[in-house]
Amino acid sequence: VFMAGTAAYYRHEITFWMKPELHAAAAAPSTLSPAQSAQLAVRVLQERAPGATRWTIDLPDERNPLIQAAWQNPPKKDMSRAERRNALRDQNVTLDPSTGLATAKPRDTRGGEFLYRLHFDLHYMPAIWGRWIVGIGAMFMLVAIISGVITHKRIFKDFFTFRPKKGQRSWLDAHNATAVLALPFHLMITYTGIVTLMFIYMPAPTKALYGDEQNTMFSDVFGNFERGKPADIAAPLADIAPMLQQAGRAWGVTPARVAISHPNDAAARVELYRPSGQQLSNLEPSMTFDGVSGALLSETPPVSTALATRAAIYGMHVAHFADPLLRALFFVCGLAGSAMVATGALLWGVRERQSYAKIVASGGRVGFGVRLVDALNIGAIAGLPIAFAAYFWANRLLPVETAQRGSAEASWFFIAWGAAALLAQIRPTRAMWRFQLTVGAVLLAGIPVLNVFTTSSHLGVSLFGGPGLRPVAAFDIVVLVLGALLGWAAWWLGHKAKKKAAKKQTAADAGSTSTMEPV
């Protein structure tokens, strides 16, 4: 949950990296203004989906250099939710803002969205089950963080204390350091994660007031999301450029998204959404215009204090407000949280293993439970980088025409992770730690090399390809650094094992020398 959530801070950049067909278009500087980009998207949507019930246009920004246009067709009868979701994947087009032409169709991939969903929906189970499992874990973690702060009297002093090569003491120091380093972040991210799904975990108040009419409750709390019904009277859509200009003058920034309900109908509505910017709330201010006359109909009304508070808490969790530097800080804090969980698990294993020290010294074995936990630690901690790397390798190596390709990439994530977990059960030793860390290091550090042979936007190109390719270059650099860190950890384990073996050999030699008769 922590690792996938950490990666989700860059889910848009990950998705862009996993669609190399778009990189060439992003490299060219844009020649269109936001209004021209919106007009271009409208023309393309008029050609491709004139009878759609809704159009959505995402205008270029620093995190997404291309124009994204999508549409929703009227749902067919007896269409399941999964079928509707699969249909939506094909109802979109990406436009090059420098040429105005549609880009090459990108490969089917879930990109960063898979990692984002994984961190609170899990996988291979109904989403509601995953959210309950993650929520219960988050509640326990929140209690652990608060009680840990209360009971740990030397918490800040211990942050500046690290004693290497001290066994259990070293793991405890590492756990304390990673916990205190980003303590405000850990507390914030855990609490806000629970609040974002509070209607699932605390349904009693809404049920008491609304019964089974949950949609009415959401309408009252968040506003009416009904887009109205079409008038079934054909009418031309008004020029969207004046609407964008009016919204831009009111907000001081260009709208980020355009949503058009019932296009080419007398009841058409155009909604313009302000970019998140520096606001903490995840509620995007909007303006609604009449789609035929272009007249302003309404603006986002002031929200209640309760809704504003929840929106701010939710906004803190997803960090849409963060600038590049703050987003990077959140990413580092997420890595620290992953390390905190990992060192805590390892600390328990080390402590339990020490209780078997005398038994092992006399030729016995540790208990089944300790061996199981050791193996699970290897599979969960060292195996996860392998799973992440396998997901990215699958994106580059699976044939583009593979059916359900996005699902196949996700399957390779779990295939690799499952293989690492099963292998760890066979021999949960220091050598297995070294092996899996080495595999993870090679796979992660090998991604930029893989790009050289599978794309035309490898690191040598993306570093000098302009702002549009910065996310591609940044991704390659980050996985290279993470691979190097895993490689160093594997080397350190091997170096430590050699030193321990050398000490034993020296002690054995000294013992044999002391028993020799003097000449």
Side-chain angles (χ1 to χ4, degrees), residues 334-357:
L335 293 179
S338 302
M340 175 187 67
V341 176
T343 52
L346 289 169
L347 177 62
W348 189 92
V350 170
R351 181 179 297 171
E352 291 300 307
R353 181 172 283 277
Q354 286 181 346
S355 65
Y356 284 88

Side-chain angles (χ1 to χ4, degrees), residues 348-349 352-356 366-375 428:
W348 189 92
E352 291 300 307
R353 181 172 283 277
Q354 286 181 346
S355 65
Y356 284 88
V366 298
F368 171 78
V370 176
R371 187 185 185 281
L372 177 64
V373 169
D374 285 343

Side-chain angles (χ1 to χ4, degrees), residues 200-267:
I200 294 177
Y201 307 137
M202 297 184 293
T206 58
K207 281 189 174 295
L209 292 173
Y210 291 93
D212 295 330
E213 299 295 327
Q214 296 295 298
N215 289 335
T216 304
M217 182 274 294
F218 282 109
S219 177
D220 289 347
V221 174
F222 298 107
N224 188 4
F225 286 96
E226 292 293 330
R227 306 298 175 183
K229 295 181 179 180
D232 293 328
I233 302 174
L237 190 67
D239 185 7
I240 204 168
M243 306 180 206
L244 287 168
Q245 292 168 0
Q246 183 176 347
R249 287 193 299 268
W251 293 332
V253 293
T254 303
R257 173 177 291 184
V258 180
I260 304 174
S261 302
H262 312 302
N264 304 315
D265 187 89

Side-chain angles (χ1 to χ4, degrees), residues 42-65:
V42 168
R43 285 199 299 269
V44 172
L45 289 169
Q46 289 282 21
E47 296 171 0
R48 299 199 177 204
T53 58
R54 184 170 172 81
W55 294 342
T56 305
I57 303 167
D58 290 313
L59 299 176
D61 58 26
E62 59 183 9
R63 299 186 68 190
N64 179 23

Side-chain angles (χ1 to χ4, degrees), residues 461-477:
V461 173
S462 58
L463 275 175
F464 311 101
L469 290 183
R470 283 176 187 166
V472 181
F475 181 94
D476 283 346
I477 292 172

Side-chain angles (χ1 to χ4, degrees), residues 242-505:
M243 306 180 206
L244 287 168
Q245 292 168 0
Q246 183 176 347
R249 287 193 299 268
W251 293 332
V253 293
T254 303
R257 173 177 291 184
V258 180
I260 304 174
S261 302
H262 312 302
N264 304 315
D265 187 89
R269 295 290 182 268
V270 178
E271 297 166 280
L272 304 183
Y273 293 91
R274 180 179 175 174
S276 299
Q278 299 299 313
Q279 66 183 21
L280 193 60
S281 172
N282 77 306
L283 294 177
E284 299 171 327
S286 65
M287 288 185 174
T288 302
F289 295 82
D290 187 293
V292 178
S293 67
L296 176 63
L297 298 178
S298 65
E299 298 185 51
T300 304
V303 298
S304 66
T305 303
L307 180 56
T309 302
R310 182 194 181 270
I313 291 173
Y314 186 32
M316 290 172 65
H317 190 81
V318 296
H320 286 166
F321 62 89
D323 57 26
L325 185 59
L326 184 57
R327 189 176 301 278
L329 179 61
F330 270 49
F331 181 78
V332 172
C333 290
L335 293 179
S338 302
M340 175 187 67
V341 176
T343 52
L346 289 169
L347 177 62
W348 189 92
V350 170
R351 181 179 297 171
E352 291 300 307
R353 181 172 283 277
Q354 286 181 346
S355 65
Y356 284 88
K358 292 183 180 179
I359 297 175
V360 173
S362 61
R365 295 183 177 182
V366 298
F368 171 78
V370 176
R371 187 185 185 281
L372 177 64
V373 169
D374 285 343
L376 290 174
N377 280 343
I378 296 173
I381 298 170
L384 256 179
I386 297 175
F388 274 81
Y391 179 60
F392 300 130
W393 276 69
N395 173 260
R396 291 296 192 255
L397 297 181
L398 285 175
V400 176
E401 63 276 6
T402 301
Q404 299 294 322
R405 195 176 184 281
S407 298
E409 290 176 358
S411 296
W412 275 106
F413 178 97
F414 292 102
I415 290 170
W417 196 13
L422 289 175
L423 195 60
Q425 293 290 339
I426 298 174
R427 194 172 178 82
T429 62
R430 182 186 296 269
M432 181 58 68
W433 273 106
R434 286 184 59 203
F435 173 74
Q436 294 208 15
L437 289 173
T438 301
V439 171
V442 171
L443 289 177
L444 283 174
I447 289 174
V449 179
L450 179 66
N451 266 345
V452 174
F453 299 99
T454 57
T455 72
S456 58
S457 54
H458 53 81
L459 200 53
V461 173
S462 58
L463 275 175
F464 311 101
L469 290 183
R470 283 176 187 166
V472 181
F475 181 94
D476 283 346
I477 292 172
V478 168
V479 294
L480 190 61
V481 170
L482 292 176
L485 289 174
L486 289 178
W488 174 84
W491 171 85
W492 181 79
L493 281 175
H495 180 69
K496 187 176 180 181
K498 287 181 180 178
K499 287 183 68 175
K500 185 177 291 187
K503 281 185 179 180
K504 286 185 178 181
Q505 185 61 43

